[in-house]
Amino acid sequence: MTQKRKRNNGDSSTADSSSDAFPAAEKLLDFSKRTSLIVLSDSDDEPVVVAAAVGETRLSVPEPRLPSARQTRSPVLEQGVFGTPSSSFPAGNSNKRSRVSEKEASARVAAYRLQRSFSQPERKAKQRDSTDTIGAVLVQQVPETESIANVPLGNVDEPLPATASTNSALHKQATKLTRATSAKAATEADVLGSERQSYLQIFDRILHTVLREEAHLFSDQERQILSAFSDLDRHSRYLFTRVYMRKREWLRVSSLNYGEREVVEQSCKYLGAKKQDIEPFFLTEAEINDCEKALTLLLTPELRTLAKSKGIKQLSGRPKETLCSMIMKSTKQRTIVSFFKENKESTTQRVEELINEVVKITGPMICLNATAAELFERLHMVFFRSAVHINDDNTMRSAVLATIGQIRFPKYTIVRSSDIFVSAEHVIQYKALVEVSAAMAVLAASPVKQIDDHKQGWELYLTHRESWIKHIEYFRNNSTGDESGGTERSAIEYWKSHFTPGWALSRIVVRGAKFAATLKQYKSEEEILLSLLSQKVYQLHKRGEWYERLTLLYTTHLRPKRAKGNGEAQEQVLLLLKLGRETCIRAIQDSNVNSISLHAIFKQLRAIEGKLELEERFQYKHPRVSLEWRNAPERTVYGVRIKDRTRRGPSLWDGDDQVPCSVEELALWRYRSLGYHGLHSENAMATTLFSLLFWDIIFYPIPGVLDTEYQSRPLDMMSDAFYVSRKALIEQRLEQILAGEFLGAIESNYEAEFGAECVGVSWDITADNLLTVAQYMGGKGLEAICRVLAKEYRLKSSGFPDLCLWNKNTKKVMFVEVKSPKDKLSDMQRDWIDILLKNGIEVELCLVREGGKNGPAE
């Protein structure tokens, strides 16, 4: 219940507020006060959210770049691209300088940063896709999805029916509203500036697109609220959009610089007024009834002035929190004279007077109505197909930049699907569960020492444990008995299951397993992992991780301590080893386990069989796995490492041009002396070539994956369904590449699409360099890389070797993984090296060690 405060007396009137649809939301209330949740994407990988107190984002628009297919000097030349040197090389033998003093090191680092600040070209400010390097696996067999939307969740005992979107009355209402919105936008185009107008254009587009095709996902009351928003004047709608993109907190009207002051004040009055049965879009200062919250709205100098007026002394140097506490204590403290006369009501009156004093200082204030905010969050979630929190304006910011022409998305045919979400009830459930999962992700990011955060995350899992058990029980009762997952269904149907409450619930369960591991509740973790592995509907790409962890529990964490000499304990150890072996065999036979996990699990299997002392003829063998990866030949190079105690992060080395450089750039200097040209590209070379060669297939119009004009990739590209849904097209393109038909596609797509926001593409790599690498690599090698990325883009878009080198004399390309003294190869890097070597592409492992240019220090 929220209380409205009366200005002239202590009376108060109450007004009902809408209750939360889920009990879990109440558990998040205290956590939400401390941090703002920003859901970055609907990807089920971690991290899904970040915690921040995000204010209004000021758009910083860079100058647009012009394409240059034949660039004489690459932007990354300063970072070590071979060819024309960025500066003349000083004479002298660098291997004589085996030590650099700390003072000289600091001076060089400062010079290095200064040179970079002037030498680096301006680049477009763009938000890299946070899911580019997250893993995925190929899905060939997935269970039927027709019943997924009707699976019981928690207190939902009956399947939720889908409301038909073709209802004639509903369709007429939506059509009328969208026409009115379009007509109003046309008359307002010349009133606001281009940037301001873009906010309204995007909001109106979101509104009329969703109501035209998915109005059944909102109740009659909610559609009335959206209709009332559409009827507002342009300034009020614009003000709402800007406040919506800011933190959900009280704002001073005087601080809203969104137009002329009189217009802003009038718009605040319109948005804060209640019309008929529709709640206001803004709350006003009359709704402030929390004295402590009211004090936090004042600045520190204002708090000092207020405290002095109440006779409080010793205020110098006091922080804001202390000043608030002192004022509150003074307000609630009774005087000696009135001790016997005062009652509870008089204390309440003093608190009320304090709130009025605060409001006099701040002036009129507004805050986004929680009901309206939640409604527009759902509206944006339905439009963008992602759970965008109120404080996350990344999607809106990209849309605004695209609308005013500062960034450009690829041109493709929008094939929006109206059946991604089944019903309004499911949208509400899905959003609530995603927010719980987001809260758990923030808590999981806390250090292990902050055990209370991890306990709070575990409690959130326990709140939804019964719902998950009922959910899994449903699948068991309705299973076809086919271990592979039942009848085959289309990849797009599997992708749509990402938007069901069951998928969001599975994310909560996965995070629950991690909290159990942190809290060392290993039996509970085993129970969770077994439940996840018992279904083949959600998060199939994570099954390898679950098998690995379950095997580790059996072989390590669940083993009884001090089993030696204890017959019963030794029998339990033997039983756990057998369970671990059975788990490994199940994992190897599971087609949804990716190659990286297979290698790790096969290692676990051999270790278990060694402990069981199984003879080789009894050891399990399977054609899918091989214990050994191919090893790349090693090359050791030397350089002078700059030791700077004040600097954190990757190590710095003394480059041949007397400028500090990274370990990869140092390796580039050494390979240059061997006749190689190249650049430090890491994953960018492989992903750029892939995107340019498969541009039309990536943006092929499949219903439900290209739903808005603000996409740098299809929605399912990071899912297990990307390859399966485009298998015929992808295989045909791979055959063309193998036949040598690829240079024309790279060149034409580079020139036609230069600058467009596309997943994996780095426009910093010149067309000449791309064509050279592709030509020297040949059709076989290029086809192998593209096949891996097409099948497992999310998993394999990371771990590619650091350097891409080519030799114009031998017309060969070579990839190099660079490692400093303490670095080791990851499994992903070793897998990529194995793939490249298997397909005839040269790879080297470059070990950088301290010493002179030509050898180790004496």
Side-chain angles (χ1 to χ4, degrees), residues 60 120 166-167 181 208 216 219 284 310 422-423 448 467 472 484 531 592 602 692 741 744 780 819:
S60 178
Q120 288 286 5
T166 56
N167 180 282
T181 301
H208 91 261
H216 62 280
S219 65
T284 63
K310 295 185 173 297
V422 176
S423 65
V448 178
S467 297
I472 293 301
S484 65
S531 71
N592 295 304
F602 199 67
L692 291 175
E741 303 173 10
K780 181 182 177 181
K819 291 298 175 185

Side-chain angles (χ1 to χ4, degrees), residues 304 313-318:
R304 290 198 183 98
K313 300 180 180 180
Q314 299 180 349
L315 302 175
S316 179
R318 302 279 188 178

Side-chain angles (χ1 to χ4, degrees), residues 308-508:
K308 288 179 181 178
S309 67
K310 295 185 173 297
I312 302 174
K313 300 180 180 180
Q314 299 180 349
L315 302 175
S316 179
R318 302 279 188 178
K320 184 173 181 178
E321 295 76 9
T322 304
L323 292 173
C324 291
S325 300
M326 294 172 69
I327 295 173
M328 281 299 302
K329 183 178 179 180
S330 173
T331 301
K332 294 181 178 181
Q333 188 175 7
R334 300 182 181 183
T335 62
I336 298 176
V337 176
S338 59
F339 181 80
F340 296 100
K341 298 181 180 180
E342 273 195 329
N343 52 31
K344 184 178 180 180
E345 184 63 28
S346 61
T347 303
T348 303
Q349 187 174 357
R350 287 201 307 274
V351 171
E352 183 72 18
E353 291 174 354
L354 178 60
I355 295 176
N356 289 333
E357 291 182 60
V358 171
V359 172
K360 287 180 181 179
I361 297 173
T362 62
M365 303 194 72
I366 54 98
C367 180
L368 200 63
N369 191 325
T371 302
E374 197 279 334
L375 173 59
F376 276 89
E377 285 174 11
R378 272 189 286 128
L379 183 76
H380 282 68
M381 182 183 74
V382 171
F383 179 79
F384 287 110
R385 308 307 194 200
S386 63
V388 182
H389 192 269
I390 189 169
N391 286 333
D392 178 25
D393 67 341
N394 289 331
T395 52
M396 278 294 297
R397 181 175 181 270
S398 297
V400 170
L401 288 174
T403 303
I404 62 179
Q406 296 303 321
I407 63 173
R408 180 170 63 86
F409 288 98
K411 295 180 180 179
Y412 49 81
T413 302
I414 298 175
V415 189
R416 190 172 180 87
S417 177
S418 60
D419 60 349
I420 291 289
F421 295 102
V422 176
S423 65
E425 292 83 358
H426 271 199
V427 172
I428 295 173
Q429 286 188 10
Y430 176 78
K431 181 175 179 291
L433 292 171
V434 165
E435 289 179 347
V436 174
S437 176
M440 294 175 72
V442 173
L443 293 169
S446 300
V448 178
K449 293 182 179 180
Q450 296 181 9
I451 197 67
D452 290 340
D453 286 348
H454 295 275
K455 288 181 178 179
Q456 187 178 351
W458 176 248
E459 289 297 325
L460 287 174
Y461 159 72
L462 294 177
T463 303
H464 297 83
R465 179 175 176 272
E466 291 301 320
S467 297
W468 176 249
I469 292 174
K470 293 179 181 178
H471 203 56
I472 293 301
E473 189 65 27
Y474 176 88
F475 286 121
R476 290 174 182 169
N477 295 336
N478 294 273
S479 174
T480 60
D482 186 358
E483 181 64 21
S484 65
T487 59
E488 184 176 358
R489 58 187 168 114
S490 68
I492 194 62
E493 287 301 320
Y494 172 73
W495 161 246
K496 289 180 180 179
S497 69
H498 286 59
F499 299 96
T500 61
W503 188 283
L505 182 61
S506 70
R507 293 169 62 176
I508 293 175

Side-chain angles (χ1 to χ4, degrees), residues 80-82 635 664-665 667-672 674-682 685 769 772-774 776-777 800-808 810-818 841-844 846:
V81 177
F82 295 135
R635 182 189 300 272
E664 294 84 5
E665 291 166 353
L668 279 171
W669 284 111
R670 300 296 177 260
Y671 277 99
R672 182 178 183 273
L674 300 176
Y676 284 98
H677 298 260
L679 52 91
H680 175 204
S681 59
E682 297 190 1
M685 179 59 74
N769 287 344
T772 299
V773 171
Y776 292 174
M777 193 185 305
F800 205 77
D802 297 311
L803 309 182
C804 177
L805 309 175
W806 59 89
N807 191 311
K808 292 184 178 181
T810 61
K811 297 189 181 302
K812 289 185 178 180
V813 67
M814 179 171 67
F815 294 98
V816 178
E817 181 63 40
V818 183
I841 302 175
E842 293 186 26
V843 185
E844 279 191 0
C846 180

